[in-house]
Amino acid sequence: MVNFAFKLMLRDLRSGDILMLLMALIISVSTVTTISLFIDRLQLSFEQESANLLAADRLIRSDEAIPKNWQFKARELSLKQARRTSFGTMIFSGDALQLSQLSAVTDSYPLKGAYLVDDTLFARGQPSKQPPKKGEVWLSSRLASLLNVRIGEKVEVGELQLTVAKYLVRDPGSSSSAFAISPRAVMNIRDLPSTKVIIPGSRVRYSLLLAGEPVDLENFESWVVPELKEGQRWRTPVEKGERIGDTIVKAESFLLLAGILAVVMSGIAMALASTRFVKRHLVQVAVLKTLGATPKVLIKVFSIQFVILFFTGALLGLAVGWGGQGVISSLLSGLMSTSLPEPSVGRLWLGTITGLVSMVAFCLPMMLRLIKISPMSVLHPSRKLEKNSLALYSMGFIGIYGLMCIYTKGFLLPSIMTLAMLAIGILVSIVGWMVFKLGRSLTSGATSGWQIGFASLYRRLLPNLFQLLVFTLIIMLGLVLVGVKSSIVTEWQEQLPVDAPNHYLFNVQKDQIEQINASTENLRVLRSDWYPMVRGRVISVNGKSIQTLYPEGKGEPELYERELNLTWSHSLGKGNKLLSGDFSADGLSIEQRVAKAANLSLGDTLTLNIGGNIVSLPITSVRSVDWSSMQPNFYLILPKRVLDGYSANFVSSLFISNENAQPFYKSMSQHPTVSILNVGDILKQIQTVIEQLSEAIQLVLLCILIAGALVLIASVRATLEERLEEGALLRVLGAKKALVQQSLVVEFGALGLFSGLIAAAGAEACVYALQVFIFKSQASWHPLLWALGPLIGISIITAIGLFASRIVLKVPPMHLLRDF
Amino acid sequence: MAKRTAIKVSNLTHTVTANTGDLTILKGINLEIKEGESVAIVGSSGSGKSTLLGLLAGLDVNTSGEIVLYGQAFSSLDEEKRAIIRGEYVGFIFQSFHLLPSLQAIENVMLPAELKGDEGARKKAEQLLDKVGLSHRLTHYPNQLSGGEQQRVAIARAFASSPKILFADEPTGNLDEANGKIIIKQLFELNKSQGTTLIMVTHDNELAKKCDRHMVMSEGSLVEK
């Protein structure tokens, strides 16, 4: 039986039907494989990028020296380790001295990522995997400028002299030092004891950095976390890279969406190919039945063919998919600053499952129906298949839905997409039926291409509605991706323009503001408003003290954990959005995330200790804050009258280009009390990630659009035969080529136009839902979609249709008629 | 020795559901056909000839009455068993040939034997195609053959399973006169040499006269002439 089934299949290959099915399967498996492997590589790359920020896979931060047994345990679990000890200290050079943030690191530091160092002040930097050698120190350009030292010269740290070996551009894992305001320096930890700067009571931050296999890290985490005391924290890259975390999450959602669309398109391709297969095998099966093939035999034959088809298609699809992601990655390699990690073979299951599910959901039920065909249909050709049952369609639908859920590991995204497709189905049926009917009644007769075109649209109403649905879905899916892509990328670009602030100025006194304004204006530096800053601490909520609410400080929300920077402002700052309440009311304005974490809402009263004075204020507004805007932002904004009496420091953020850096630092040296915080490194990293992601999603979009075009071609081919037959008949009856051509243009053009329009409407609705529920961003209109939809619809579908139908215009009609 | 009964039909009625309600196509037909006989059923379009042929061959199940083929009552069997009987006893020739377009002439003829797992399928097919004068067309596809040639391939295929009964539905319906004559000649020759029972539906009275028995189907009833 295997032999017979195989032989029959091989012979069938010549007809092209099995080949179509095989092609659909290969497209299905390879598209999903390409995208899932590519996403996998990007995710690994994001993780590495995040690890760069942490300089490790995991980190423990402690206010006390790291216990030795933690290091032993890490060694026992074969984890790589490094240590960093950071503290503020004076660095001396001759008469110059400067408070600096110094990190002393082990030779193994950094475990992930690299330092960026240079031999020139304020240069871009070259990567270095090694920290400073014993006896050396690296100074940030700003620190070197302030101390007026150059490479090769000596500086003093405590009792030790160290040689300046490099200018430090980026310090991996130092983003926390962004909040340490002093300029940075790095030295080798082996020199630390000789400096004698760390004495009991010094404020030192100790870090143990770890890298290794995920399972070992998890084991260590579950062992060490219960050991953590106050002042000790376990950190993961995601937390650390919070700022870029949001961007990455959005990009991942986009790629998942792209993957889902690939799955849906594969499903459509499979359904089309299966329908064509069944249609063309009706007679074959009926004849086989008259020849004595029993249902059991046929089930066996088709099952064997099914299995052979699956394995062949899946293997070829996986191979093509593997190659495809390689091509995408190599295309991207020129654009991306880092090379992508190798894809993992383990991810291949997704493509395989997609192939299997789409075959089981679309191909198998069709084959089973085929087997049920009555042998009587050889005598009565009108007796063909029983009507498609709801159960059959449901199976395809459930299959696709299930795949999407597996793919996204969730229900929200698949549900949005499925609902959108259902709505489109209903819309297409109603609009299509009305338009085709109207078109037919307006153009009765058979003398022009318009009349023939609309007549044939109306005559084959059901197949045409189905085709309209397929066209609409594919165009819609493409448009959804275009819409989401452009809104994500635009949002990113808006969020982080090239001139996003990269420095903060702290500890500025009121009388210094004018001078600083003048010097920054001379340098044409962009600066945000000045915000006054007063320190204060929340001591009770609605009359209950924090100590009562959180004895021993356990589970304390961030808002109560430490002293806060308080400000006043008459207007909402950049990146702030009022969510509820009245910002101008005489009360507190609170940031929504901290409010939620502390379970606070409008009307709750917070009591603050500000410089020894106790102030109670109700919460009168809740704001959302875009923390990635790099603007000075505050958890709490108080009324001006409350803070008026306190001496405030002022803060502002500004963008300083590389060229302006040196003159700026020079001008700032006149204000030694002002602290400058350089966040340029973090920004640079975020911008790199965003650029990479933008490029990546554009390439993935291109892949999906190509796959979509292939499915469109398959869909046109699916109904080609009837159109060819009709064209041939028209030519036999004396119709000129131009008339046949015109009627085809009308038919495909109308299908294209309406599918494009409905797709644009569907895509707009879908993008809206995705923006609101998935990407949590501002919903916006996309005029581009409304232009692209009909344009793509008319041009591509007409072009594909005419190209596929060119045979009807070329070949003598007799040949065509004989074939039917 | 008395000939065996190939088919016996008792009080056969067949009703289908149409848009306008139930439609009785065959009304109480009784018929007995002996082994080796050739029977022609003629009648106007829509008189129920093809439906009768399909029921006799077990392609469909009748509404009431009984059809017994070589001692086996078709009506009580499921599709699985009917297919087995078809494979064993029945051969078919159709008006529109129904060759499988993706298979070559020889492969079409080999099909019935291959379905039975017959090792000598190819040889047998070659011999049959030789008998219908198509030994030079073995590897041609149906669309490379003329209508007459396609029907000759179909005849070869019908005899490939050495059927005891051959059902032919308008075998010359789609052919010109000259080709029709060749087909009829080959059909009757093969029929005779293999001792097959032939039941044929046709519009062609000339063709009907060549058969041992001649029946007329009219409004669902069958009358022997």
Side-chain angles (χ1 to χ4, degrees):
Chain A
M1 189 55 67
V2 177
N3 204 5
F4 175 64
F6 187 64
K7 253 201 265 180
L8 206 60
M9 196 175 172
L10 271 187
R11 292 170 189 167
D12 233 5
L13 267 181
R14 303 173 198 140
S15 71
D17 300 326
I18 292 255
L19 216 56
M20 284 284 284
L21 214 51
L22 192 65
M23 281 299 291
L25 183 61
I26 292 174
I27 290 178
S28 156
V29 175
S30 60
T31 320
V32 173
T33 305
T34 302
I35 290 176
S36 65
L37 285 178
F38 183 61
I39 291 177
D40 184 41
R41 294 181 77 175
L42 277 179
Q43 274 171 338
L44 287 173
S45 158
F46 300 156
E47 276 168 30
Q48 286 185 0
E49 204 55 48
S50 314
N52 267 349
L53 286 180
L54 201 65
D57 289 331
R58 300 288 185 275
L59 178 144
I60 301 173
R61 204 190 67 195
S62 170
D63 293 343
E64 294 164 30
I66 303 283
K68 284 273 182 225
N69 64 328
W70 292 8
Q71 297 173 41
F72 294 145
K73 181 70 183 176
R75 197 172 305 148
E76 196 184 302
L77 287 167
S78 319
L79 294 172
K80 281 193 239 163
Q81 302 180 43
R83 282 179 298 122
R84 181 180 68 218
T85 306
S86 307
F87 50 93
T89 187
M90 284 292 178
I91 297 185
F92 298 83
S93 164
D95 294 339
L97 76 164
Q98 175 65 40
L99 179 67
S100 319
Q101 186 67 23
L102 183 65
S103 297
V105 298
T106 54
D107 288 327
S108 51
Y109 191 95
L111 295 176
K112 290 284 163 82
Y115 282 104
L116 275 184
V117 288
D118 216 297
D119 295 329
T120 316
L121 279 172
F122 299 103
R124 293 178 69 89
Q126 303 296 323
S128 165
K129 287 272 188 189
Q130 309 295 323
K133 294 189 187 98
K134 195 170 184 302
E136 287 179 358
V137 67
W138 294 347
L139 306 180
S140 68
S141 294
R142 185 175 153 225
L143 182 56
S145 300
L146 290 168
L147 291 172
N148 202 21
V149 287
R150 297 293 176 260
I151 285 179
E153 294 176 3
K154 304 262 184 200
V155 292
E156 284 163 38
V157 178
E159 295 184 7
L160 187 70
Q161 277 207 336
L162 294 165
T163 309
V164 178
K166 295 277 179 199
Y167 299 121
L168 180 64
V169 179
R170 187 179 74 184
D171 183 357
S174 69
S175 60
S176 64
S177 64
F179 305 100
I181 290 155
S182 319
R184 281 169 293 136
V186 191
M187 61 182 278
N188 197 294
I189 207 163
R190 283 179 285 156
D191 286 327
L192 194 56
S194 324
T195 62
K196 297 186 179 161
V197 286
I198 297 184
I199 50 168
S202 301
R203 278 197 63 173
V204 182
R205 182 169 284 177
Y206 298 90
S207 304
L208 174 64
L209 295 92
L210 301 163
E213 294 301 319
V215 58
D216 298 329
L217 290 165
E218 272 165 35
N219 284 338
F220 186 78
E221 180 178 359
S222 50
W223 178 84
V224 83
V225 169
E227 305 264 312
L228 296 178
K229 289 184 292 187
E230 213 186 316
Q232 293 176 330
R233 283 186 74 177
W234 171 259
R235 308 204 70 164
T236 60
V238 179
E239 272 177 68
K240 183 78 175 191
E242 267 157 17
R243 285 160 191 253
I244 61 168
D246 183 45
T247 311
I248 289 174
V249 167
K250 277 187 184 173
E252 282 181 354
S253 298
F254 175 86
L255 291 172
L256 276 179
L257 179 69
I260 281 190
L261 301 195
V263 169
V264 176
M265 283 191 193
S266 312
I268 296 174
M270 260 342 257
L272 285 172
S274 303
T275 313
R276 183 182 151 95
F277 182 85
V278 167
K279 231 168 152 184
R280 310 234 321 180
H281 281 69
L282 287 174
V283 175
Q284 174 171 342
V285 172
V287 169
L288 282 172
K289 282 192 163 186
T290 62
L291 296 178
T294 64
K296 270 188 192 160
V297 166
L298 288 171
I299 287 176
K300 272 188 200 161
V301 167
F302 279 113
S303 304
I304 292 166
Q305 292 192 348
F306 184 89
V307 171
I308 296 173
L309 195 66
F310 170 68
F311 279 106
T312 318
L315 282 177
L316 287 172
L318 290 178
V320 173
W322 187 274
Q325 60 82 27
V327 170
I328 294 184
S329 307
S330 63
L331 282 175
L332 264 185
S333 63
L335 302 165
M336 295 180 92
S337 61
T338 48
S339 63
L340 286 174
E342 281 307 304
S344 49
V345 183
R347 295 287 290 189
L348 289 178
W349 65 268
L350 201 55
T352 319
I353 290 280
T354 305
L356 188 63
V357 172
S358 39
M359 273 198 80
V360 169
F362 293 107
C363 204
L364 196 61
M366 287 283 196
M367 282 192 176
L368 292 178
R369 276 174 68 218
L370 190 56
I371 291 165
K372 277 192 188 157
I373 189 178
S374 161
M376 198 65 175
S377 59
V378 287
L379 295 174
H380 293 292
S382 56
R383 268 186 74 173
K384 287 194 174 164
L385 281 184
E386 49 195 90
K387 283 255 156 53
N388 290 346
S389 64
L390 193 67
L392 189 78
Y393 286 124
S394 315
M395 193 157 167
F397 226 75
I398 292 168
I400 285 284
Y401 183 74
L403 268 181
M404 294 199 280
C405 293
I406 294 175
Y407 209 88
T408 53
K409 297 179 194 128
F411 297 100
L412 186 59
L413 198 56
S415 303
I416 289 179
M417 292 309 297
T418 311
L419 280 177
M421 287 192 289
L422 261 179
I424 285 292
I426 295 168
L427 198 65
V428 161
S429 313
I430 298 171
V431 174
W433 180 78
M434 280 165 50
V435 168
F436 293 162
K437 197 171 176 180
L438 186 73
R440 176 67 187 128
S441 61
L442 290 178
T443 57
S444 70
T447 48
S448 75
W450 286 100
Q451 292 164 338
I452 299 169
F454 270 105
S456 83
L457 277 177
Y458 186 61
R459 193 177 49 256
R460 285 192 302 264
L461 190 60
L462 272 181
N464 276 326
L465 284 180
F466 177 70
Q467 192 151 47
L468 188 67
L469 179 64
V470 172
F471 288 160
T472 307
L473 280 180
I474 291 169
I475 298 175
M476 183 186 98
L477 298 181
L479 290 181
V480 165
L481 225 46
V482 171
V484 170
K485 187 223 94 180
S486 63
S487 72
I488 294 183
V489 172
T490 315
E491 192 182 305
W492 285 342
Q493 282 162 354
E494 278 171 3
Q495 190 179 306
L496 277 183
V498 189
D499 54 359
N502 55 3
H503 284 72
Y504 288 97
L505 298 184
F506 284 98
N507 293 337
V508 179
Q509 301 303 310
K510 207 168 184 177
D511 55 354
Q512 291 176 313
I513 288 179
E514 255 178 53
Q515 295 166 34
I516 295 176
N517 279 351
S519 55
T520 51
E521 263 161 39
N522 284 341
L523 291 169
R524 294 189 182 169
V525 163
L526 290 171
R527 190 181 44 69
S528 76
D529 291 337
W530 289 102
Y531 289 88
M533 233 162 57
V534 175
R535 306 280 284 177
R537 195 178 185 113
V538 180
I539 53 167
S540 70
V541 181
N542 293 331
K544 284 187 186 154
S545 76
I546 300 298
Q547 275 100 335
T548 328
L549 288 169
Y550 302 97
E552 296 169 38
K554 272 187 184 158
E556 212 179 27
E558 197 182 349
L559 191 66
Y560 311 142
E561 214 178 42
R562 57 183 167 88
E563 267 204 325
L564 302 170
N565 290 317
L566 309 172
T567 193
W568 73 82
S569 175
H570 294 303
S571 56
L572 277 172
K574 220 176 171 182
N576 282 243
K577 206 170 119 191
L578 185 67
L579 298 178
S580 58
D582 177 8
F583 184 73
S584 56
D586 187 41
L588 279 168
S589 177
I590 189 165
E591 192 268 340
Q592 61 146 352
R593 202 165 47 92
V594 289
K596 200 176 164 197
N599 203 17
L600 293 172
S601 53
L602 283 180
D604 284 330
T605 303
L606 295 185
T607 305
L608 295 119
N609 179 342
I610 308 171
N613 295 324
I614 308 300
V615 185
S616 284
L617 286 165
I619 294 174
T620 49
S621 69
V622 180
R623 292 165 291 126
S624 68
V625 170
D626 180 5
W627 293 101
S628 52
S629 67
M630 297 289 162
Q631 302 290 329
N633 280 313
F634 298 86
Y635 286 163
L636 293 178
I637 299 178
L638 278 66
K640 185 169 186 288
R641 65 163 178 89
V642 177
L643 297 180
D644 238 1
Y646 299 93
S647 70
N649 288 320
F650 285 77
V651 60
S652 177
S653 64
L654 58 169
F655 171 75
I656 298 160
S657 63
N658 276 347
E659 305 84 69
N660 274 338
Q662 221 163 351
F664 171 74
Y665 285 129
K666 211 169 199 175
S667 75
M668 290 309 293
S669 61
Q670 297 163 22
H671 309 284
T673 54
V674 171
S675 302
I676 305 169
L677 168 60
N678 181 353
V679 291
D681 299 343
I682 304 170
L683 261 182
K684 217 177 278 168
Q685 258 170 333
I686 298 174
Q687 270 158 346
T688 313
V689 171
I690 287 175
E691 275 162 28
Q692 289 174 358
L693 289 180
S694 302
E695 296 295 346
I697 64 173
Q698 293 195 44
L699 258 174
V700 170
L701 173 68
L702 191 70
C703 283
I704 297 284
L705 293 183
I706 290 173
L710 288 176
V711 179
L712 275 186
I713 293 173
S715 165
V716 171
R717 275 189 62 110
T719 54
L720 195 60
E721 269 169 23
E722 280 178 59
R723 289 201 166 90
L724 289 182
E725 190 179 357
E726 200 171 274
L729 271 175
L730 279 173
R731 286 185 60 200
V732 170
L733 294 175
K736 285 182 183 157
K737 257 188 184 182
L739 183 71
V740 178
Q741 205 161 19
Q742 199 188 353
S743 73
L744 286 172
V745 170
V746 168
E747 205 176 335
F748 285 115
L751 281 174
L753 173 70
F754 291 113
S755 52
L757 279 173
I758 305 170
E764 186 71 80
C766 217
V767 173
Y768 173 84
L770 291 171
Q771 282 181 324
V772 173
F773 298 114
I774 302 290
F775 296 102
K776 314 259 187 229
S777 53
Q778 193 97 35
S780 54
W781 277 100
H782 302 85
L784 179 72
L785 301 185
W786 292 92
L788 271 182
L791 194 72
I792 290 175
I794 294 180
S795 54
I796 295 192
I797 292 174
T798 312
I800 293 174
L802 285 183
F803 182 74
S805 316
R806 70 197 185 288
I807 187 170
V808 78
L809 303 170
K810 273 190 186 163
V811 178
M814 191 56 212
H815 285 229
L816 288 167
L817 288 178
R818 181 175 283 181
D819 281 347
F820 294 110
Chain B
M1 200 179 79
K3 283 187 176 174
R4 276 170 76 192
T5 299
I7 292 187
K8 187 168 185 205
V9 178
S10 320
N11 209 16
L12 176 70
T13 302
H14 194 60
T15 306
V16 292
T17 309
N19 291 340
T20 47
D22 282 354
L23 190 69
T24 304
I25 301 176
L26 303 177
K27 299 167 183 165
I29 288 173
N30 291 292
L31 170 71
E32 187 170 346
I33 298 169
K34 297 283 181 196
E35 200 170 37
E37 274 185 332
S38 56
V39 178
I41 302 171
V42 294
S44 54
S45 292
S47 58
K49 310 183 294 287
S50 295
T51 305
L52 176 63
L53 194 78
L55 290 174
L56 293 181
L59 299 184
D60 205 350
V61 186
N62 50 302
T63 317
S64 67
E66 198 176 48
I67 303 167
V68 179
L69 192 131
Y70 281 96
Q72 307 210 44
F74 254 154
S75 329
S76 57
L77 301 177
D78 60 11
E79 168 57 19
E80 186 76 21
K81 289 187 180 122
R82 278 187 281 134
I84 293 171
I85 293 176
R86 281 199 300 270
E88 201 171 327
Y89 294 102
V90 174
F92 263 106
I93 298 169
F94 307 103
Q95 179 177 3
S96 45
F97 327 135
H98 285 326
L99 297 179
L100 304 191
S102 57
L103 304 192
Q104 297 166 349
I106 179 107
E107 290 166 344
N108 265 292
V109 180
M110 283 159 65
L111 210 51
E114 281 184 322
L115 264 172
K116 285 185 183 172
D118 189 344
E119 294 284 323
R122 187 165 197 99
K123 202 166 172 207
K124 199 169 180 182
E126 280 172 0
Q127 285 168 356
L128 280 164
L129 280 170
D130 189 38
K131 275 190 188 166
V132 295
L134 287 176
S135 51
H136 59 297
R137 296 284 212 182
L138 297 186
T139 55
H140 283 63
Y141 287 96
N143 65 356
Q144 296 168 322
L145 300 171
S146 71
E149 286 172 328
Q150 286 189 50
Q151 193 61 305
R152 278 146 73 189
V153 175
I155 292 175
R157 182 179 67 184
F159 283 98
S161 57
S162 311
K164 288 194 162 33
I165 308 179
L166 184 66
F167 291 96
D169 179 33
E170 305 272 11
T172 56
N174 274 357
L175 301 174
D176 59 43
E177 205 183 327
N179 268 310
K181 278 186 177 160
I182 298 171
I183 292 298
I184 295 303
K185 189 170 168 271
Q186 287 179 345
L187 183 59
F188 278 92
E189 273 173 17
L190 272 166
N191 195 38
K192 204 163 191 179
S193 66
Q194 308 226 353
T196 317
T197 309
L198 174 67
I199 301 173
M200 179 162 46
V201 160
T202 180
H203 273 108
D204 186 346
N205 277 320
E206 289 302 309
L207 175 56
K209 280 178 193 160
K210 289 185 187 289
C211 296
D212 301 335
R213 291 168 70 186
H214 186 178
M215 299 182 179
V216 180
M217 188 89 192
S218 175
E219 293 180 359
S221 302
L222 193 64
V223 181
E224 182 139 12
K225 267 195 168 179

